[in-house]
Amino acid sequence: MSKDKNAPIAIIGGGAWGLSTALHLSLTGYSDITVFDRAETIPSHFSAAYDLNKIVRAEYEDEFYTQLALVSDPRLENPLFGPYYHQTGYIVATSGEAPPKAVNSMEKALASVSKHPKFALDIHSLTTREEFRGHAWQFSGPLNGFRGYFNPLAGYAHSGNALKGVCLHLASRGVKFLLGETRGKVIELLYDNGPGGSSTRRCTGVVTADNEIHRAAISICALDAYGASLIPELGYFAVARCWSVAHVQLTEQECDLLRNLPVTNVRDLGFFFEPDPATRLFKLCPLGAGYSNTDASGTSLPPPDELPEPQGYIPLEDERKLRQLLRETLPWMADRPFVDKKMCWFSDTQDSEYCVDFVPGTGDSLVVLAGDSGHGFKMMPVFGKWVVDLLQDRKQKLARWRWQQHDGQGNNWADSVSWRVGNAREIGELIEEKNRITRAYL
Ligand code: FSA
C-alpha cells in the first residue's frame, strides 16, 4: 500500500464492512478517508445491516470462523459496539417435521459446540418441551418434536444502531461521508492504463452520479450484494441473493413478556429475536436457500430501484414457514399481521467464504469486500483490521479469502450449501406469484 498515510482512500459503501474498514484505517493513522453511499443517511437502507438486529454467535461448522467470531466479541473490542449487543443466549433447534439435512446440520453443530473448550461447559442439549421452556419460559406452543440446544455465549446486536454509532464516531475522527443518490452514488471506477503496456492497470478513483471525479490512491468496494454493478467479474462467484424479513408489531405488555427471550433459530423454519424495546417490533426471518435476481448475462444483482421490488411483500412459502414457527413456539402471535416486510440482500459465495482481496489486474489499487454470505455482520468490530492487513501485506495471505476464479460451472450451487435447507429460486418467479395472488383477490 501507499506508505503515505495521508493519501486519499475511497470506501464505496457505508455498510457494516465499509464502516469497519474506515474505522480500522483511521485507527491505524490513515487520515484522508471518504465513505460513499447512495443513501441519504447512515444506516444506509442499501446495507444488509439496515436492520433491527442480527444474530451474534461464535459457533460455526468451521473452527476458523469460530476463532474469528470469538475475537470479534462486541463486549471486548471497545465501547463502540458493546451498547448494541444483547447476550440473550441462543437456542438452535429443529422441529419434528425437519428434513434430514436440517437435523444433520443441527446435530453436527451440537456435537461441535459440545466438545469445544469455549462452549462445552455451558451447552445444554434440549430434548423435551420442558427443557426448552427452561431457557425460554415464554414458549407456550407445543414444540412438537423439537430437538436442539442452548448456548448462552451468543445473542444479537441492533445492527442499524451500530452502523449509526460507528458513523458518528468516524465523523468525529475526520472521516468524510458523501451521501445520497447524486453525491454519494458511485457510478464508475476510474483506471489508468498501467505502466508501459503492462497488464496491470491501477484504479485511480471513482466518479459519482453528479459527475464529480474523486481521485484515490486506494479504492475499496464495500458494496457487497451490489458489488458486481461496479466490478462485473465479481458476479461470477459472489451472487446477490436475498432472504425475507418480517415483523410483528407488539404492545408494550407483549414486549415486556418477551424480554430476554433467547435468539431462537429453528433450522427448518426460521429464527426470531427478543422484541426491539424502542419500536416494539418482533423480527422474524424464514430459513431457506434464498432468492436471486439473475439477468440474461447470468449475473444476479439486487433490483436497481431505490425501493426494490418486492417491498412490503415476502414470498408465500416464507410467510407459511414463519406462521408455522410461531404456532409451535408463540402461538398467540401466529395469526398477527406481518409488518415492515422486506427482502434483505447479501453477497453469497458457494463455500460461504468472504472475499477480502485486491481485484486481479489492478495491483494494490482496488480492493473488493464481498461474500458476506449471511454471516458478516458479527465481524464488524474486527473486519476492518483484515483490510488493513491486506493493504499492508499487499496480497491476501489467506487462500480462502482470495478473489475466486470463475470455474465456468455457473451459479447452480445454491441448494447445496451445507448450512441451508430448501431450494433457491429466482425473484422473478416470486413477482409472478405475487401478481397471481393479487389478481385472485381482485
Ligand atoms: O448468524 C446467522 O446464523 C444468521 S444467518 C442469516 C441468513 O439469513 C441465513 O439464515 C440464510 O440461510 C442465509 O445464509 C443468509 O443469512
Side-chain angles (χ1 to χ4, degrees):
M1 120 147 256
S2 154
K3 299 260 180 319
D4 177 7
K5 289 198 169 169
N6 299 321
I9 299 186
I11 299 178
I12 310 151
W17 286 2
L19 295 180
S20 178
T21 298
L23 176 65
H24 286 282
L25 285 172
S26 170
L27 291 171
T28 315
Y30 292 94
S31 62
D32 187 358
I33 303 167
T34 306
V35 176
F36 298 82
D37 199 286
R38 272 174 84 179
E40 291 292 335
T41 51
I42 303 288
S44 160
H45 61 273
F46 294 100
S47 161
Y50 180 81
D51 218 346
L52 274 187
N53 37 43
K54 296 285 182 202
I55 301 175
V56 176
R57 57 163 170 112
E59 44 169 287
Y60 264 93
E61 271 177 24
D62 181 343
E63 180 61 20
F64 170 80
Y65 283 102
T66 298
Q67 289 305 326
L68 295 180
L70 286 170
V71 175
S72 183
D73 187 334
R75 297 166 306 179
L76 304 180
E77 192 55 30
N78 59 48
L80 262 184
F81 295 99
Y84 310 109
Y85 176 60
H86 306 285
Q87 194 170 329
T88 53
Y90 184 43
I91 291 176
V92 181
T94 48
S95 81
E97 303 291 310
K101 188 177 180 192
V103 177
N104 290 342
S105 157
M106 189 277 288
E107 281 172 355
K108 245 170 64 191
L110 174 58
S112 124
V113 285
S114 302
K115 59 178 178 11
H116 195 288
K118 195 72 197 175
F119 308 114
L121 285 178
D122 299 313
I123 296 295
H124 301 258
S125 125
L126 309 172
T127 51
T128 65
R129 180 171 183 273
E130 280 323 303
E131 283 170 346
F132 275 91
R133 281 168 50 85
H135 296 280
W137 62 269
Q138 296 96 330
F139 287 170
S140 52
L143 305 174
N144 285 309
F146 271 49
R147 297 277 177 277
Y149 64 92
F150 175 73
N151 182 355
L153 189 67
Y156 71 93
H158 193 309
S159 51
N161 285 352
L163 297 191
K164 187 172 170 187
V166 172
C167 170
L168 291 175
H169 177 73
L170 289 172
S172 78
R173 295 183 63 86
V175 171
K176 288 162 283 202
F177 284 84
L178 283 178
L179 302 177
E181 283 289 342
T182 48
R183 295 169 63 215
K185 182 178 179 183
V186 172
I187 54 168
E188 197 186 335
L189 299 170
L190 291 171
Y191 297 94
D192 70 10
N193 290 326
S198 81
S199 59
T200 296
R201 52 184 190 159
R202 285 193 72 82
C203 178
T204 56
V206 308
V207 184
T208 42
D210 53 2
N211 286 321
E212 285 292 320
I213 290 175
H214 307 266
R215 296 279 169 203
I218 310 277
S219 301
I220 300 175
C221 179
L223 289 180
D224 206 46
Y226 296 81
S229 63
L230 289 182
I231 305 170
E233 304 79 13
L234 180 65
Y236 292 142
F237 67 90
V239 176
R241 222 185 283 289
C242 64
W243 278 265
S244 305
V245 180
H247 305 81
V248 176
Q249 181 67 65
L250 298 183
T251 64
E252 184 178 359
Q253 199 189 17
E254 290 165 341
C255 209
D256 285 346
L257 170 76
L258 296 181
R259 193 168 295 164
N260 294 330
L261 185 73
V263 175
T264 300
N265 187 344
V266 183
R267 303 291 287 265
D268 50 311
L269 293 174
F271 55 94
F272 54 70
F273 301 76
E274 127 176 272
D276 172 48
T279 57
R280 297 181 194 146
L281 287 171
F282 178 86
K283 178 181 137 181
L284 318 97
C285 301
L287 282 167
Y291 308 94
S292 47
N293 182 41
T294 311
D295 67 15
S297 76
T299 302
S300 174
L301 274 169
D305 317 340
E306 198 186 334
L307 287 175
E309 179 81 21
Q311 282 289 325
Y313 160 83
I314 62 170
L316 205 56
E317 60 192 27
D318 284 348
E319 287 232 11
R320 286 202 188 105
K321 276 185 201 162
L322 293 181
R323 297 209 179 276
Q324 177 62 12
L325 174 65
L326 289 170
R327 267 195 296 279
E328 290 290 350
T329 53
L330 300 163
W332 54 269
M333 228 196 282
D335 296 317
R336 294 276 282 272
F338 289 142
V339 299
D340 289 358
K341 293 186 270 190
K342 64 172 182 175
M343 308 304 285
C344 181
W345 287 88
F346 302 125
S347 162
D348 204 36
T349 59
Q350 181 163 14
D351 44 16
S352 301
E353 295 286 4
Y354 305 156
C355 173
V356 183
D357 201 0
F358 295 107
V359 175
T362 63
D364 58 359
S365 65
L366 177 60
V367 172
V368 63
L369 311 176
D372 70 285
S373 306
H375 66 104
F377 175 79
K378 66 178 74 63
M379 304 297 184
M380 187 177 179
V382 295
F383 188 92
K385 283 185 189 167
W386 309 331
V387 184
V388 172
D389 290 346
L390 174 78
L391 295 183
Q392 286 172 352
D393 297 339
R394 305 181 75 171
K395 65 177 283 221
Q396 180 48 270
K397 289 183 170 169
L398 276 173
R400 56 165 83 217
W401 285 353
R402 286 189 195 135
W403 175 274
Q404 297 183 17
Q405 292 307 328
H406 182 37
D407 63 3
Q409 301 294 302
N411 288 325
N412 301 326
W413 42 261
D415 297 351
S416 62
V417 175
S418 67
W419 56 302
R420 298 197 185 125
V421 179
N423 302 110
R425 293 176 67 191
E426 280 294 318
I427 200 93
E429 295 172 36
L430 302 181
I431 294 167
E432 278 168 30
E433 175 189 274
K434 177 188 158 196
N435 292 342
R436 254 198 327 272
I437 295 169
T438 315
R439 275 199 304 275
Y441 282 96
L442 283 179

